[in-house]
Amino acid sequence: MPQVNPQILVWAREAAGLGIDEAARALQLGGARQRGPEVLGEYEQGTKAPSRPLLLKMAKVYRRSLLTFYLQQPPVKSERGEDFRTLPGDRGYESAPKLDALVRDVFVRQRLVRSILEDVEEAEPLNFVGSITLAQPVDFAAKLICKRLSFDLNEFRRKKTVEEAFSYIRELTEKLGVFVLLIGNLGTHHTALGTDVFRGFALAEKVAPFIVVNDQDAKVAWSFTLLHELAHIWLGRTGLSGADFEQKIEQFCNDIASEILLPEAELDELRQLGGDRQEVISVISAFASRRKVSRALVVYRLLKRRQIDRKQWLDLTEEFRRSWEAERARKKEQAADAAGGPNYYVVKRHRVGNALVEFTRRAIAEGFVTPTKAGRILGVRPTNVQALVEVT
């Protein structure tokens, strides 16, 4: 068996964001004679060689492939693409290892999909990727994207729920050849990545581009994030997006998504916005609800039009955030009290998206992918692949 470089063990643990005590617990090391951290320390110092079963367990806990542990040296940190986020202080950076793991996973999925498309000779470059620049007017870019999507704003608003409205845009996006995933954690609620860490991620490849929408965000915000990331695809700019809009590219993508979902002319309805704070909140809430958009989007547009100042914008945005968090907590309690729950495979298919599930189903049927690789593409165990691709 090849020797394992102890530096790899230290690097893999630290890259996973785990301290030695936490990792030892997760690996179930230690016993009556020796504490877990001491045992793990011996492996990391090279005084004790890890067995293959332990390496398999490390691969799972540290979210790495087994082959990684046989590298001669720790690899150079992989790129996330550009980082378009603006985070106050160190907020969110404590989640960097989890975010790195999520982005790395998306890159792997994209490469597997692209490889299969190349094998079946269907790797046609998408000409809209990288087809616009920041120098072009927002309204022009918005119209260009809408036309290519065949997006109908009235159809979007006719949907009964914000989830159905999002599904409408997602389906149009996936028809273009862009895979859209809903991901906000690494498989468990303990690894959740809040919107203070990231809202979306765009992998702007010419073949099989991917978009990730953070499903920890309010559902009413998903459509906006999807269109924001789609604007990144049109710009050909791979990277992470956050909640702020200090960077020029983030403003540009925000403005495109805003113009698509809430055309400038409609804001004239709020030109006489006034009254006390509660009345303003009530008017904005009703306005946003009718249009299947978030209240945060409405006040962002009002700020851009200078109908409210930055102080009012910050106050209203914080109020809407608190309101959403209270509603989310209430629904979580109701769900905990309810018997049973939604089918695992139905939920998973929704998170992965019909396009990726159907792509994988076809690749399996035609013999172009093994269950192991199919599981990696879909983010499930190989034994769960067949059930997932068969669910409707």
Side-chain angles (χ1 to χ4, degrees), residues 179-387:
F179 295 94
V180 181
L181 308 180
L182 283 166
I183 308 177
N185 61 44
L186 300 179
T188 69
H189 68 276
H190 299 294
T191 57
L193 292 159
T195 55
D196 57 337
V197 179
F198 90 108
R199 283 191 181 276
F201 172 63
L203 210 175
E205 293 286 323
K206 284 281 188 179
V207 176
F210 270 58
I211 286 174
V212 174
V213 174
N214 189 342
D215 63 5
Q216 301 298 310
D217 203 354
K219 293 179 180 179
V220 71
W222 290 357
S223 293
F224 177 87
T225 299
L226 172 51
L227 289 171
H228 174 106
E229 299 306 326
L230 197 57
H232 275 289
I233 298 289
W234 244 263
L235 285 165
R237 302 284 288 272
T238 290
L240 289 155
S241 301
D244 299 310
F245 55 93
E246 299 299 328
Q247 295 193 43
K248 183 177 180 181
I249 187 170
E250 289 300 87
Q251 290 187 42
F252 186 72
C253 294
N254 275 348
D255 291 345
I256 288 175
S258 300
E259 181 62 25
I260 291 173
L261 293 177
L262 184 57
E264 178 76 16
E266 295 187 15
L267 290 162
D268 289 341
E269 186 178 321
L270 298 175
R271 189 173 293 280
Q272 303 303 318
L273 188 66
D276 61 25
R277 181 173 179 273
Q278 197 53 50
E279 182 181 346
V280 169
I281 290 172
S282 178
V283 170
I284 289 174
S285 297
F287 180 87
S289 179
R290 291 194 299 272
R291 290 164 173 79
K292 300 289 191 305
V293 298
S294 70
R295 295 176 294 181
L297 168 55
V298 177
V299 294
Y300 169 74
R301 295 300 297 278
L302 293 176
L303 173 68
K304 295 281 287 187
R305 282 167 61 104
R306 295 186 173 84
Q307 285 183 235
I308 60 174
D309 59 29
R310 191 173 183 84
K311 183 179 178 181
Q312 288 174 290
W313 171 72
L314 288 170
D315 172 57
L316 291 170
T317 300
E318 180 61 20
E319 171 64 29
F320 297 147
R321 185 191 65 79
R322 286 196 301 265
S323 173
W324 168 66
E325 287 185 346
E327 177 66 12
R328 181 172 64 168
R330 185 183 66 79
K331 289 182 177 179
K332 191 174 181 179
E333 282 186 19
Q334 289 178 339
D337 293 337
N343 179 279
Y344 166 82
Y345 294 105
V346 172
V347 172
K348 194 66 181 179
R349 184 177 183 115
H350 177 57
R351 293 290 187 263
V352 173
N354 288 332
L356 197 56
V357 172
E358 288 304 310
F359 171 86
T360 307
R361 182 192 60 75
R362 185 164 67 92
I364 292 171
E366 296 177 3
F368 284 101
V369 66
T370 64
T372 299
K373 285 188 177 180
R376 192 68 194 271
I377 292 170
L378 298 174
V380 299
R381 294 176 180 175
T383 53
N384 291 338
V385 168
Q386 200 59 42

